[in-house]
Amino acid sequence: MAEERKSKPESLTIWPDAQAMIEKARRDGVKTVWDRMAEQRPACKFCKEGLTCSKCVMGPCRITPGRAKRQRGTCGADADLTVARNFGRFVAAGAAAHSDHGRDLVETLLAVGRGKTRDYALRDPEKLRQVACEAGLDITGKDDATLAVELAQAFIQDFGFGTETLSFLSRVPEKRRAVWERHGVTPRGVDRDVVEMLHRTHMGVDCDPVSICLHAARVALTDGWGGSMIATETSDIIFGTPTPRESLVNLGVLKEDQVNVLVHGHSPIVSEMILAAARDPAMIEKARAVGAAGINVAGLCCTGNEVLMRQGVPMAGNHLMTELAIITGAVDLIVVDYQCIMPSLTAVAACYQTRFVSTSDKARFPGGTHMEFTLENARQKALEVVAMGIEAYTNRQPERVEIPGEPVRFMTGFSNEAILGALGGTPGPLIEAIKAGKVRGAVGIVGCNNPRLKHDHVHTVLCRELIKKDILVLVTGCATVAMGKAGLMVPEAADQAGPGLSEVCRALGVPPVLHVGSCVDNSRIIHLCAVLANALGVDISDLPVAASAPEWYSEKAATIGLYAVASGIMTHLGLPPHITGSDMVTNLALEGLEGVLGAHFVVEPDPVAAANIIDARITAKRQALGLTP
Amino acid sequence: MAEERKSKPESLTIWPDAQAMIEKARRDGVKTVWDRMAEQRPACKFCKEGLTCSKCVMGPCRITPGRAKRQRGTCGADADLTVARNFGRFVAAGAAAHSDHGRDLVETLLAVGRGKTRDYALRDPEKLRQVACEAGLDITGKDDATLAVELAQAFIQDFGFGTETLSFLSRVPEKRRAVWERHGVTPRGVDRDVVEMLHRTHMGVDCDPVSICLHAARVALTDGWGGSMIATETSDIIFGTPTPRESLVNLGVLKEDQVNVLVHGHSPIVSEMILAAARDPAMIEKARAVGAAGINVAGLCCTGNEVLMRQGVPMAGNHLMTELAIITGAVDLIVVDYQCIMPSLTAVAACYQTRFVSTSDKARFPGGTHMEFTLENARQKALEVVAMGIEAYTNRQPERVEIPGEPVRFMTGFSNEAILGALGGTPGPLIEAIKAGKVRGAVGIVGCNNPRLKHDHVHTVLCRELIKKDILVLVTGCATVAMGKAGLMVPEAADQAGPGLSEVCRALGVPPVLHVGSCVDNSRIIHLCAVLANALGVDISDLPVAASAPEWYSEKAATIGLYAVASGIMTHLGLPPHITGSDMVTNLALEGLEGVLGAHFVVEPDPVAAANIIDARITAKRQALGLTP
């Protein structure tokens, strides 16, 4: 540990702002994620390879494949089954998280439609109508409120098991649906398939590792084309469909002379209210009264992405920056909803004047202040929360404040509507650019940070390599902050792209790396792929596209990766899930799924090597379509 | 391991039939659950105490509370949070299993109502009407089919998140509902609450161990008053409400001169069809044609309980007998649905002529034969499966057959309808017997076997101790086989009961230990408690009752225990769940829940000590009601 403590900040992260804050943390005596990881080394080999099982009290068991002893757990499960069961639950939890987030949006939509809340509205009624049509509703003669209720009810059906299909399967190319039908992985109910995975992985239920893995694919698809897509589209209906705009990124967005409020988590439901409260003239007046120049709201992680996409709120950082942002000493209040909020944050906040406020009954944080937000009280609660931030500002200790670096400009807001809008309303021009080889293909770079990898190194190197090869990059989640800080998300970054992509970007005035949203918004990427595939009359797996989660850490990210693969998109991971204890499951992921679902996973920590693998895939797909490589 | 191999069978199980088969397994070179457990010793201390986390790939992590290093995982989770997260998922998986089983029954009911299946019917239309009323449906003028569809749809709503309540909350005493409301644990949707638990336990969501544990209680309640209760009541509607009858138990129910078919798993949907096929004169003729005297269907585990309760099918054994039954060499075919089917069974079956047939898409078994049963093909498939058993009989090797012991008589079929029916239709006489102190109280002994405890020792000693103390025992699941084999489930066992209970049993002609069903049928027990509490105008927690899972092993059992506690019933466990790494969670389970939910867990491996604790509880509850101790 002492040794690990000495890890140079430059070896942990590529960013000067992060390095400076790691140094400050050490000076301030604050532990960070890297310190805890160092203490956790070496990790348990059994757990790392997916070979432990605590799913009953006949155990716990550990499997040692190939050895004389412990080839099977007490129940008789071997390495393949144990790994598959663990992976199945891992994916189910990811789907559950996204989908339960989607559920909250559906409840909001229902409440708006029924007039049960005054704090939320339908900012994009046009999208409401369009999505309602896609969900198979008859919209004629119906007002927005009625339609909101009916759409919410359709989505509620999607979560249940009373229907045979999900609303958004209408978007899926026919060839893809046939693949799913053939292998029994057509998603059914969002909650049902998740619950069935828990059932299957209970002792003595599904004992076939392949069967469990295929159901994992189905569960993932309920996320991508169900829970996540419902979350995205409903968020757009309620909070507005994003349009391109500019903002700023890195810790430099914090302001020494303002009340700094960070929003963190994944949902726009609370953060939009916080933003509105911070923009309230009375609150700004209140802030001025205590000597602040104003109230500065900035984002972290995906809640940050949500308000960035729709409101242009600057972004303070991604997953590994969340502790470091507080360590600046300049954050007066951090308000969270749920997901990816390190349990350590309350302890870090306690080292400064920072108030930590949780807002959802599902996500309480001992050591923080819990302010339960409901659809009825949200606006009022948000005012109270922001007032807490103003009060905390008065306790700020200037000598402990250090805001590193200058913020970097970046563009955001590239919803599919915005992308297609910029192309004149149809995917035609993009398809032409792809056919002409100017845009050779597209890759979604998504997902988290992981302290096991040098922070944002894999993200940024991979991204630079891809755009050089005329491959358009779409980013979501934590990858956004990486590429933004790297200066790749401004139109001038066209300079760093290959000649074809550069030309297209210049013509449209867009960056070679487009921000499409938060992690539930990966649903925008598969939707766009479906639009392209439908326009071409092919399967998604025929497109020259790929996905990558270079620095992923979470169960959600695994689920996203699997729904990408199950949708026909080869997916790169910078490090493997806990499956390496089973050759069968590992081979299925890395090879076998190609034959079943037309795509597979690639695990490659080296970003240059990963870029080459992705490039080869895109070349092959182009050639199969009869295009130039 | 060599040492463990030498464990005397008498130290592993109390039963001669089991001991004989363990000896035979050793002679036949077949590994059993005890051999695998011996290889797994010593277990990982971290896993056993709930202190490992593999829920993201920043880890895996191990927590060592109180030490300098590793007090927190990489994300910052401490021992309490890590244990709570693990326990939350453990309970969620148990609820998922029961509820997904219930879902299959609901789909069957719907198909029957819609005329989509000819293989299933409504054997108890009277119960259909009664349950429909309880679910709040208007039954006037509706035929059975219509009502079946409407009830199925009401249950489908219970699984979803479109409603605010579960159908069967109408059964819950008002005082209990108030407790749930007060602590925010009123169950909502069956699937929703399970999925929310996965969400909450994702990294960075619920970081409050107490909040997670309370949600675990809610999840458990969706099982007890939701999924399980729906499974029980719908099974009764479709397959008939059980009535008292006699049957036989232990390996002696296998017949040397007949085709022996074992049904194993948890659902009646397939096993009822197997039974019908085995009773088909053409199949019996077919069996005779190959020299068998007939076709003998016997049960294992809870599928066994289902067909025992309704059809009087004899019971070959409980969880730890499933391998041993095959080792008799007399089992020609074992047909399974899902849950608690050891993955080892296909390997054991392969050592004999035994055919292993799986029937559900959710539960495939490599090495077995998969015959997918649907609601449309079930009767036909069952005939095919039984024919496979007849064919296997022709390969039986008589020199390898050993059927130990003589079967024991036992009574079954004590549904609540049967119990109340025997009392003249009201709980009045039972309440009078309780008030008079003849029946001092009642205990449900439920759940599994666990090779970490001497097979059926804790079950049987506890049960004998309780009935001696004039405490009526209700049994379900694997406990049934234990008490049945012990001779406690015949009217003559009144001899072994205390004077009061003995008198009541003799007057009614019933045993002091009543079989109320399979493990989903624990819902009958909480329902009966609710009936008693409502009749007395008290909370369930005021009743002189307790629950015990003396030899539990599964996630389902933990969920059952927790819904019992959350329903107000003190619950004894013979060994702890993987929670001992957290003082907070352990104390909450063993003490804290008493203040919140009016009941708590007791962990006590010694059955005599457990009986005394239960007795003291019943005494205290009696006194609080103003009754004699």
Side-chain angles (χ1 to χ4, degrees):
Chain A
M1 181 189 159
E3 199 179 332
E4 291 289 345
R5 267 289 203 178
K6 285 182 218 141
S7 289
K8 291 206 172 132
E10 305 85 74
S11 70
L12 304 178
T13 171
I14 64 170
W15 302 119
D17 63 343
Q19 292 160 10
M21 287 306 99
I22 292 171
E23 297 282 17
K24 183 170 189 287
R26 291 172 184 180
R27 288 197 308 276
D28 289 358
V30 179
K31 272 199 183 182
T32 67
V33 63
W34 289 281
D35 301 315
R36 294 188 300 272
M37 186 183 64
E39 287 189 17
Q40 285 290 342
R41 281 181 173 156
C44 169
K45 194 174 171 297
F46 291 100
C47 284
K48 196 166 177 182
E49 298 191 346
L51 291 169
T52 46
C53 183
S54 302
K55 294 183 201 70
C56 82
V57 295
M58 295 199 294
C61 295
R62 288 173 284 190
I63 315 295
T64 48
R67 299 278 180 82
K69 253 184 84 168
R70 285 196 181 140
Q71 284 203 32
R72 291 174 180 274
T74 299
C75 70
D78 63 8
D80 297 326
L81 179 54
T82 302
V83 166
R85 281 174 174 167
N86 288 333
F87 182 64
R89 290 202 177 176
F90 199 87
V91 169
H98 282 147
S99 299
D100 203 45
H101 163 173
R103 188 194 321 274
D104 289 338
L105 271 307
V106 173
E107 290 194 327
T108 308
L109 183 64
L110 189 66
V112 171
R114 288 189 173 153
K116 302 273 189 188
T117 173
R118 292 163 165 272
D119 294 357
Y120 297 89
L122 303 169
R123 287 198 195 141
D124 193 343
E126 195 184 321
K127 180 145 188 177
L128 168 66
R129 287 179 180 270
Q130 177 229 313
V131 171
C133 288
E134 289 185 277
L137 299 177
D138 178 6
I139 65 168
T140 29
K142 289 177 187 158
D143 63 14
D144 291 348
T146 305
L147 221 44
V149 171
E150 287 188 12
L151 184 60
Q153 282 167 337
F155 289 153
I156 288 171
Q157 292 298 313
D158 287 348
F159 280 78
F161 81 98
T163 54
E164 295 285 307
T165 185
L166 299 179
S167 298
F168 287 123
L169 291 202
S170 63
R171 293 178 167 180
V172 180
E174 257 181 52
K175 288 179 182 176
R176 181 62 9 196
R177 292 195 61 176
V179 169
W180 294 347
E181 281 299 318
R182 194 152 60 243
H183 298 289
V185 300
T186 304
R188 298 169 298 179
V190 170
D191 288 336
R192 182 231 186 105
D193 282 319
V194 170
V195 169
E196 186 176 307
M197 178 58 88
L198 286 187
H199 180 194
R200 283 178 184 245
T201 52
H202 187 282
M203 204 301 276
V205 185
D206 204 346
C207 293
D208 181 346
V210 175
S211 169
I212 292 174
C213 289
L214 286 177
H215 187 66
R218 174 151 61 179
V219 169
L221 289 171
T222 68
D223 176 359
W225 299 91
S228 277
M229 200 169 274
I230 290 171
T232 294
E233 302 299 49
T234 311
S235 294
D236 282 359
I237 291 167
I238 297 169
F239 299 110
T241 303
T243 51
R245 64 188 74 205
E246 210 176 75
S247 189
L248 296 169
V249 63
N250 80 23
L251 289 183
V253 304
L254 297 173
K255 297 192 177 156
E256 204 154 342
D257 60 349
Q258 296 201 19
V259 176
N260 288 308
V261 173
L262 291 183
V263 290
H264 182 14
H266 280 74
S267 165
I269 296 176
V270 165
S271 49
E272 283 272 354
M273 289 297 127
I274 296 292
L275 188 65
R279 288 174 177 173
D280 185 309
M283 297 308 290
I284 295 169
E285 197 41 55
K286 210 167 196 168
R288 288 196 179 132
V290 299
I295 304 169
N296 177 41
V297 176
L300 290 170
C301 292
C302 279
T303 287
N305 277 300
E306 294 279 343
V307 287
L308 168 63
M309 280 285 281
R310 297 195 185 85
Q311 305 273 2
V313 169
M315 192 69 138
N318 50 15
H319 181 53
L320 289 182
M321 299 302 294
T322 57
E323 293 177 313
L324 303 183
I326 298 173
I327 289 163
T328 61
V331 177
D332 303 299
L333 183 131
I334 175 166
V335 54
V336 305
D337 46 82
Y338 40 64
Q339 298 171 23
C340 301
I341 300 148
M342 290 193 213
S344 61
L345 287 190
T346 47
V348 177
C351 296
Y352 303 91
Q353 84 287 358
T354 314
R355 294 295 299 268
F356 182 101
V357 177
S358 56
T359 58
S360 165
D361 178 56
K362 310 187 217 213
R364 290 166 180 266
F365 291 76
T369 302
H370 187 71
M371 308 266 284
E372 185 76 23
F373 275 57
T374 67
L375 295 175
E376 294 77 32
N377 74 8
R379 197 170 293 273
Q380 179 54 37
K381 283 280 163 190
L383 292 169
E384 294 171 28
V385 169
V386 172
M388 285 171 63
I390 295 168
E391 198 201 328
Y393 173 84
T394 64
N395 299 321
R396 203 190 279 180
Q397 298 169 274
E399 70 284 5
R400 296 188 72 206
V401 172
E402 179 186 339
I403 300 175
E406 281 301 306
V408 176
R409 287 168 41 239
F410 71 152
M411 281 192 79
T412 179
F414 291 97
S415 59
N416 290 343
E417 289 83 347
I419 293 173
L420 295 175
L423 299 170
T426 77
L430 180 54
I431 290 173
E432 286 315 311
I434 291 170
K435 283 186 175 170
K438 290 181 181 171
V439 176
R440 289 181 53 248
V443 172
I445 304 185
V446 309
C448 341
N449 293 141
N450 189 319
R452 287 168 58 197
L453 299 169
K454 187 174 179 175
H455 176 215
D456 286 345
H457 166 73
V458 196
H459 275 144
T460 50
V461 176
L462 174 65
C463 188
R464 285 201 180 92
E465 289 294 318
L466 291 176
I467 63 173
K468 263 198 262 176
K469 296 176 198 292
D470 286 329
I471 295 167
L472 177 69
V473 170
L474 309 177
V475 286
T476 62
C478 289
T480 309
V481 171
M483 311 323 175
K485 285 166 85 166
L488 298 169
M489 293 169 68
V490 283
E492 308 89 285
D495 293 349
Q496 300 185 51
L501 178 59
S502 179
E503 183 193 324
V504 172
C505 289
R506 279 176 223 281
L508 295 170
V510 299
V513 180
L514 302 179
H515 181 217
V516 306
S518 65
C519 62
V520 293
D521 292 340
N522 288 314
S523 63
R524 298 192 202 272
I525 301 179
I526 52 172
H527 182 203
L528 186 60
C529 288
V531 168
L532 294 175
N534 284 330
L536 287 164
V538 300
D539 191 354
I540 293 172
S541 60
D542 298 320
L543 297 175
V545 300
S548 172
E551 302 183 19
W552 76 283
Y553 91 87
S554 75
E555 292 172 316
K556 289 178 295 170
T559 312
I560 293 167
L562 188 52
Y563 79 60
V565 167
S567 298
I569 303 168
M570 186 191 83
T571 297
H572 161 248
L573 304 174
L575 70 182
H578 304 307
I579 62 170
T580 52
S582 164
D583 288 344
M584 181 194 276
V585 175
T586 303
N587 291 340
L588 188 65
L590 300 182
E591 294 173 20
L593 285 179
E594 183 71 33
V596 182
L597 298 169
H600 62 278
F601 284 101
V602 171
V603 176
E604 176 54 68
D606 175 8
V608 176
N612 289 334
I613 293 167
I614 291 170
D615 183 55
R617 176 78 168 190
I618 284 174
T619 298
K621 291 293 174 189
R622 291 185 60 82
Q623 288 175 324
L625 287 170
L627 305 176
T628 56
Chain B
M1 181 189 160
E3 199 181 334
E4 290 289 345
R5 267 291 204 178
K6 284 184 218 139
S7 289
K8 288 204 174 136
E10 305 84 72
S11 71
L12 305 178
T13 171
I14 63 170
W15 302 120
D17 64 343
Q19 292 162 9
M21 287 306 100
I22 291 171
E23 297 281 16
K24 183 169 188 288
R26 291 173 184 180
R27 289 196 308 275
D28 290 358
V30 179
K31 273 199 182 183
T32 67
V33 62
W34 288 281
D35 301 315
R36 294 188 300 272
M37 185 182 65
E39 286 188 18
Q40 286 290 341
R41 280 181 173 155
C44 169
K45 194 174 171 301
F46 291 99
C47 284
K48 196 166 176 182
E49 298 191 346
L51 291 169
T52 47
C53 183
S54 301
K55 294 184 201 70
C56 82
V57 296
M58 297 198 292
C61 295
R62 288 173 284 189
I63 315 297
T64 48
R67 300 276 180 82
K69 253 183 81 167
R70 286 196 181 141
Q71 285 202 33
R72 291 176 180 271
T74 299
C75 71
D78 63 8
D80 297 327
L81 179 54
T82 302
V83 166
R85 282 174 174 167
N86 289 332
F87 182 63
R89 289 203 177 176
F90 199 87
V91 169
H98 282 147
S99 299
D100 203 46
H101 163 174
R103 188 194 320 274
D104 290 338
L105 271 308
V106 174
E107 290 194 327
T108 308
L109 183 65
L110 190 65
V112 171
R114 288 189 172 153
K116 302 271 189 189
T117 172
R118 292 163 166 270
D119 293 358
Y120 297 89
L122 304 169
R123 288 198 196 142
D124 193 344
E126 196 185 321
K127 180 146 188 177
L128 168 66
R129 288 179 178 271
Q130 177 227 314
V131 171
C133 288
E134 289 185 276
L137 299 178
D138 177 7
I139 65 169
T140 30
K142 288 177 188 159
D143 63 16
D144 291 348
T146 304
L147 221 45
V149 170
E150 287 187 13
L151 183 60
Q153 282 166 338
F155 289 152
I156 288 172
Q157 292 298 313
D158 286 349
F159 279 78
F161 83 99
T163 54
E164 294 286 305
T165 183
L166 298 179
S167 298
F168 287 124
L169 291 201
S170 62
R171 292 177 168 180
V172 180
E174 256 180 53
K175 289 179 181 176
R176 181 61 11 195
R177 293 196 59 175
V179 170
W180 295 347
E181 280 300 317
R182 192 152 63 244
H183 298 290
V185 301
T186 304
R188 298 169 299 180
V190 170
D191 287 336
R192 181 229 186 106
D193 282 319
V194 170
V195 169
E196 186 176 307
M197 177 57 88
L198 286 187
H199 181 195
R200 283 177 184 244
T201 51
H202 187 280
M203 204 301 276
V205 186
D206 204 347
C207 293
D208 181 346
V210 175
S211 169
I212 291 176
C213 289
L214 285 177
H215 187 66
R218 174 151 61 179
V219 169
L221 289 170
T222 68
D223 176 359
W225 300 90
S228 278
M229 200 169 273
I230 289 171
T232 294
E233 302 301 48
T234 310
S235 294
D236 281 359
I237 291 167
I238 296 170
F239 299 110
T241 302
T243 51
R245 63 189 74 206
E246 210 177 75
S247 188
L248 296 170
V249 62
N250 81 22
L251 288 184
V253 304
L254 297 174
K255 297 192 176 156
E256 203 154 342
D257 60 348
Q258 296 200 20
V259 176
N260 287 308
V261 173
L262 290 183
V263 290
H264 182 13
H266 280 74
S267 165
I269 296 177
V270 165
S271 49
E272 283 272 355
M273 288 297 127
I274 297 292
L275 188 65
R279 288 174 176 174
D280 185 309
M283 298 307 291
I284 294 170
E285 196 42 54
K286 211 168 193 166
R288 288 193 179 134
V290 299
I295 304 169
N296 178 43
V297 176
L300 289 170
C301 292
C302 280
T303 287
N305 277 299
E306 294 280 342
V307 288
L308 168 64
M309 280 285 281
R310 296 194 185 87
Q311 304 275 1
V313 169
M315 192 69 136
N318 51 14
H319 182 52
L320 289 182
M321 298 302 295
T322 57
E323 293 177 313
L324 302 184
I326 298 173
I327 289 164
T328 60
V331 176
D332 302 300
L333 183 131
I334 175 165
V335 54
V336 304
D337 45 83
Y338 41 63
Q339 298 172 21
C340 301
I341 299 149
M342 291 193 212
S344 61
L345 288 190
T346 47
V348 177
C351 297
Y352 303 92
Q353 84 286 359
T354 314
R355 295 293 300 268
F356 183 100
V357 177
S358 56
T359 58
S360 164
D361 179 55
K362 310 187 216 212
R364 291 166 180 267
F365 291 76
T369 302
H370 187 70
M371 309 266 284
E372 184 76 23
F373 275 57
T374 67
L375 295 174
E376 293 77 31
N377 75 9
R379 197 169 292 272
Q380 179 53 36
K381 283 281 164 190
L383 292 169
E384 293 170 28
V385 169
V386 172
M388 284 170 64
I390 295 169
E391 198 201 328
Y393 173 83
T394 64
N395 299 321
R396 203 191 277 179
Q397 297 170 274
E399 71 284 5
R400 295 189 72 206
V401 173
E402 180 186 338
I403 301 173
E406 281 301 306
V408 175
R409 285 169 43 239
F410 72 151
M411 278 191 81
T412 178
F414 292 97
S415 59
N416 290 344
E417 289 82 346
I419 293 173
L420 295 175
L423 299 169
T426 78
L430 179 56
I431 290 173
E432 286 315 310
I434 291 170
K435 284 186 173 168
K438 290 181 181 172
V439 176
R440 289 180 53 247
V443 172
I445 304 186
V446 310
C448 338
N449 293 140
N450 189 319
R452 287 169 58 197
L453 298 169
K454 187 174 178 175
H455 176 215
D456 286 345
H457 167 73
V458 196
H459 275 144
T460 50
V461 175
L462 174 66
C463 188
R464 284 201 181 94
E465 289 293 318
L466 291 175
I467 62 172
K468 264 198 261 175
K469 297 175 197 292
D470 286 330
I471 295 167
L472 177 70
V473 171
L474 309 177
V475 286
T476 61
C478 287
T480 308
V481 171
M483 312 322 176
K485 285 165 87 166
L488 298 169
M489 293 168 70
V490 283
E492 307 90 284
D495 294 349
Q496 300 185 50
L501 178 59
S502 177
E503 182 192 326
V504 171
C505 288
R506 278 176 225 279
L508 295 170
V510 299
V513 180
L514 302 179
H515 180 217
V516 306
S518 65
C519 60
V520 293
D521 292 341
N522 288 314
S523 63
R524 298 191 201 272
I525 301 179
I526 52 172
H527 181 203
L528 185 60
C529 287
V531 168
L532 294 175
N534 284 330
L536 288 164
V538 299
D539 191 354
I540 293 173
S541 60
D542 298 319
L543 299 174
V545 300
S548 171
E551 302 183 18
W552 76 284
Y553 91 87
S554 75
E555 292 172 315
K556 289 178 294 169
T559 313
I560 292 167
L562 188 52
Y563 78 59
V565 167
S567 298
I569 304 168
M570 186 192 83
T571 298
H572 161 250
L573 303 174
L575 70 182
H578 305 305
I579 62 171
T580 52
S582 164
D583 288 343
M584 180 194 277
V585 176
T586 304
N587 291 341
L588 188 65
L590 300 182
E591 294 173 20
L593 285 179
E594 182 71 33
V596 183
L597 298 169
H600 63 278
F601 283 101
V602 171
V603 176
E604 177 53 67
D606 174 9
V608 176
N612 289 334
I613 294 166
I614 290 170
D615 183 54
R617 177 78 168 189
I618 283 173
T619 298
K621 291 294 174 189
R622 290 185 61 82
Q623 287 175 325
L625 287 170
L627 305 176
T628 56

